[in-house]
PDB file of all heavy atoms in Angstrom:
ATOM      1  N   GLU A  70     -15.447  12.526   7.946  1.00  0.00           N
ATOM      2  CA  GLU A  70     -15.999  13.251   6.811  1.00  0.00           C
ATOM      3  C   GLU A  70     -14.880  13.738   5.897  1.00  0.00           C
ATOM      4  O   GLU A  70     -13.763  14.049   6.347  1.00  0.00           O
ATOM      5  CB  GLU A  70     -16.834  14.455   7.279  1.00  0.00           C
ATOM      6  CG  GLU A  70     -16.071  15.504   8.052  1.00  0.00           C
ATOM      7  CD  GLU A  70     -16.929  16.711   8.414  1.00  0.00           C
ATOM      8  OE1 GLU A  70     -18.049  16.836   7.890  1.00  0.00           O
ATOM      9  OE2 GLU A  70     -16.444  17.551   9.192  1.00  0.00           O
ATOM     10  N   LEU A  71     -15.206  13.820   4.623  1.00  0.00           N
ATOM     11  CA  LEU A  71     -14.261  14.336   3.638  1.00  0.00           C
ATOM     12  C   LEU A  71     -14.150  15.849   3.792  1.00  0.00           C
ATOM     13  O   LEU A  71     -15.165  16.546   3.860  1.00  0.00           O
ATOM     14  CB  LEU A  71     -14.720  13.983   2.226  1.00  0.00           C
ATOM     15  CG  LEU A  71     -13.906  14.584   1.082  1.00  0.00           C
ATOM     16  CD1 LEU A  71     -12.493  14.018   1.059  1.00  0.00           C
ATOM     17  CD2 LEU A  71     -14.615  14.342  -0.242  1.00  0.00           C
ATOM     18  N   VAL A  72     -12.930  16.349   3.833  1.00  0.00           N
ATOM     19  CA  VAL A  72     -12.693  17.785   3.937  1.00  0.00           C
ATOM     20  C   VAL A  72     -12.353  18.364   2.566  1.00  0.00           C
ATOM     21  O   VAL A  72     -12.924  19.363   2.135  1.00  0.00           O
ATOM     22  CB  VAL A  72     -11.558  18.087   4.925  1.00  0.00           C
ATOM     23  CG1 VAL A  72     -11.289  19.591   4.990  1.00  0.00           C
ATOM     24  CG2 VAL A  72     -11.893  17.543   6.307  1.00  0.00           C
ATOM     25  N   ALA A  73     -11.417  17.729   1.880  1.00  0.00           N
ATOM     26  CA  ALA A  73     -10.983  18.233   0.579  1.00  0.00           C
ATOM     27  C   ALA A  73     -10.230  17.146  -0.163  1.00  0.00           C
ATOM     28  O   ALA A  73      -9.625  16.275   0.460  1.00  0.00           O
ATOM     29  CB  ALA A  73     -10.095  19.460   0.744  1.00  0.00           C
ATOM     30  N   SER A  74     -10.266  17.220  -1.484  1.00  0.00           N
ATOM     31  CA  SER A  74      -9.535  16.256  -2.302  1.00  0.00           C
ATOM     32  C   SER A  74      -8.925  16.954  -3.502  1.00  0.00           C
ATOM     33  O   SER A  74      -9.374  18.034  -3.910  1.00  0.00           O
ATOM     34  CB  SER A  74     -10.460  15.117  -2.746  1.00  0.00           C
ATOM     35  OG  SER A  74     -11.490  15.623  -3.585  1.00  0.00           O
ATOM     36  N   LEU A  75      -7.902  16.304  -4.064  1.00  0.00           N
ATOM     37  CA  LEU A  75      -7.204  16.883  -5.200  1.00  0.00           C
ATOM     38  C   LEU A  75      -6.694  15.759  -6.090  1.00  0.00           C
ATOM     39  O   LEU A  75      -6.028  14.845  -5.606  1.00  0.00           O
ATOM     40  CB  LEU A  75      -6.028  17.733  -4.722  1.00  0.00           C
ATOM     41  CG  LEU A  75      -5.230  18.472  -5.782  1.00  0.00           C
ATOM     42  CD1 LEU A  75      -6.075  19.590  -6.397  1.00  0.00           C
ATOM     43  CD2 LEU A  75      -3.963  19.071  -5.177  1.00  0.00           C
ATOM     44  N   THR A  76      -7.019  15.819  -7.393  1.00  0.00           N
ATOM     45  CA  THR A  76      -6.491  14.818  -8.313  1.00  0.00           C
ATOM     46  C   THR A  76      -5.149  15.286  -8.859  1.00  0.00           C
ATOM     47  O   THR A  76      -4.781  16.453  -8.752  1.00  0.00           O
ATOM     48  CB  THR A  76      -7.449  14.579  -9.481  1.00  0.00           C
ATOM     49  OG1 THR A  76      -7.462  15.749 -10.314  1.00  0.00           O
ATOM     50  CG2 THR A  76      -8.862  14.295  -8.994  1.00  0.00           C
ATOM     51  N   ARG A  77      -4.427  14.378  -9.473  1.00  0.00           N
ATOM     52  CA  ARG A  77      -3.117  14.734 -10.016  1.00  0.00           C
ATOM     53  C   ARG A  77      -3.242  15.702 -11.184  1.00  0.00           C
ATOM     54  O   ARG A  77      -2.266  16.375 -11.519  1.00  0.00           O
ATOM     55  CB  ARG A  77      -2.348  13.488 -10.432  1.00  0.00           C
ATOM     56  CG  ARG A  77      -2.993  12.666 -11.516  1.00  0.00           C
ATOM     57  CD  ARG A  77      -2.257  11.359 -11.721  1.00  0.00           C
ATOM     58  NE  ARG A  77      -2.953  10.484 -12.673  1.00  0.00           N
ATOM     59  CZ  ARG A  77      -2.723   9.181 -12.737  1.00  0.00           C
ATOM     60  NH1 ARG A  77      -1.849   8.602 -11.941  1.00  0.00           N
ATOM     61  NH2 ARG A  77      -3.387   8.448 -13.615  1.00  0.00           N
ATOM     62  N   GLU A  78      -4.436  15.777 -11.781  1.00  0.00           N
ATOM     63  CA  GLU A  78      -4.667  16.760 -12.847  1.00  0.00           C
ATOM     64  C   GLU A  78      -4.983  18.137 -12.289  1.00  0.00           C
ATOM     65  O   GLU A  78      -5.112  19.096 -13.048  1.00  0.00           O
ATOM     66  CB  GLU A  78      -5.815  16.301 -13.755  1.00  0.00           C
ATOM     67  CG  GLU A  78      -5.489  15.076 -14.608  1.00  0.00           C
ATOM     68  CD  GLU A  78      -5.693  13.779 -13.865  1.00  0.00           C
ATOM     69  OE1 GLU A  78      -6.274  13.804 -12.763  1.00  0.00           O
ATOM     70  OE2 GLU A  78      -5.289  12.718 -14.395  1.00  0.00           O
ATOM     71  N   GLY A  79      -5.163  18.223 -10.966  1.00  0.00           N
ATOM     72  CA  GLY A  79      -5.424  19.512 -10.345  1.00  0.00           C
ATOM     73  C   GLY A  79      -6.883  19.801 -10.066  1.00  0.00           C
ATOM     74  O   GLY A  79      -7.237  20.934  -9.721  1.00  0.00           O
ATOM     75  N   ASN A  80      -7.738  18.797 -10.196  1.00  0.00           N
ATOM     76  CA  ASN A  80      -9.155  19.000  -9.885  1.00  0.00           C
ATOM     77  C   ASN A  80      -9.362  18.916  -8.381  1.00  0.00           C
ATOM     78  O   ASN A  80      -9.093  17.884  -7.765  1.00  0.00           O
ATOM     79  CB  ASN A  80     -10.002  17.945 -10.596  1.00  0.00           C
ATOM     80  CG  ASN A  80      -9.891  18.067 -12.103  1.00  0.00           C
ATOM     81  OD1 ASN A  80      -9.983  19.152 -12.667  1.00  0.00           O
ATOM     82  ND2 ASN A  80      -9.670  16.949 -12.784  1.00  0.00           N
ATOM     83  N   ALA A  81      -9.863  20.006  -7.812  1.00  0.00           N
ATOM     84  CA  ALA A  81     -10.020  20.092  -6.367  1.00  0.00           C
ATOM     85  C   ALA A  81     -11.487  20.083  -5.969  1.00  0.00           C
ATOM     86  O   ALA A  81     -12.350  20.584  -6.699  1.00  0.00           O
ATOM     87  CB  ALA A  81      -9.357  21.353  -5.831  1.00  0.00           C
ATOM     88  N   HIS A  82     -11.744  19.498  -4.817  1.00  0.00           N
ATOM     89  CA  HIS A  82     -13.075  19.514  -4.222  1.00  0.00           C
ATOM     90  C   HIS A  82     -12.931  19.932  -2.767  1.00  0.00           C
ATOM     91  O   HIS A  82     -12.060  19.423  -2.060  1.00  0.00           O
ATOM     92  CB  HIS A  82     -13.721  18.132  -4.293  1.00  0.00           C
ATOM     93  CG  HIS A  82     -14.957  18.010  -3.456  1.00  0.00           C
ATOM     94  ND1 HIS A  82     -16.163  18.537  -3.836  1.00  0.00           N
ATOM     95  CD2 HIS A  82     -15.149  17.460  -2.228  1.00  0.00           C
ATOM     96  CE1 HIS A  82     -17.056  18.297  -2.892  1.00  0.00           C
ATOM     97  NE2 HIS A  82     -16.467  17.643  -1.914  1.00  0.00           N
ATOM     98  N   ILE A  83     -13.762  20.882  -2.355  1.00  0.00           N
ATOM     99  CA  ILE A  83     -13.765  21.357  -0.964  1.00  0.00           C
ATOM    100  C   ILE A  83     -15.142  21.116  -0.386  1.00  0.00           C
ATOM    101  O   ILE A  83     -16.160  21.482  -1.006  1.00  0.00           O
ATOM    102  CB  ILE A  83     -13.436  22.854  -0.877  1.00  0.00           C
ATOM    103  CG1 ILE A  83     -12.118  23.177  -1.573  1.00  0.00           C
ATOM    104  CG2 ILE A  83     -13.392  23.312   0.578  1.00  0.00           C
ATOM    105  CD1 ILE A  83     -10.899  22.610  -0.897  1.00  0.00           C
ATOM    106  N   ALA A  84     -15.220  20.518   0.789  1.00  0.00           N
ATOM    107  CA  ALA A  84     -16.507  20.265   1.425  1.00  0.00           C
ATOM    108  C   ALA A  84     -17.198  21.577   1.775  1.00  0.00           C
ATOM    109  O   ALA A  84     -16.545  22.575   2.108  1.00  0.00           O
ATOM    110  CB  ALA A  84     -16.308  19.425   2.685  1.00  0.00           C
TER     111      ALA A  84
END
Side-chain angles (χ1 to χ4, degrees):
E70 62 176 349
L71 174 66
V72 178
S74 64
L75 183 69
T76 69
R77 62 188 174 199
E78 291 84 11
N80 297 314
H82 168 77
I83 305 292

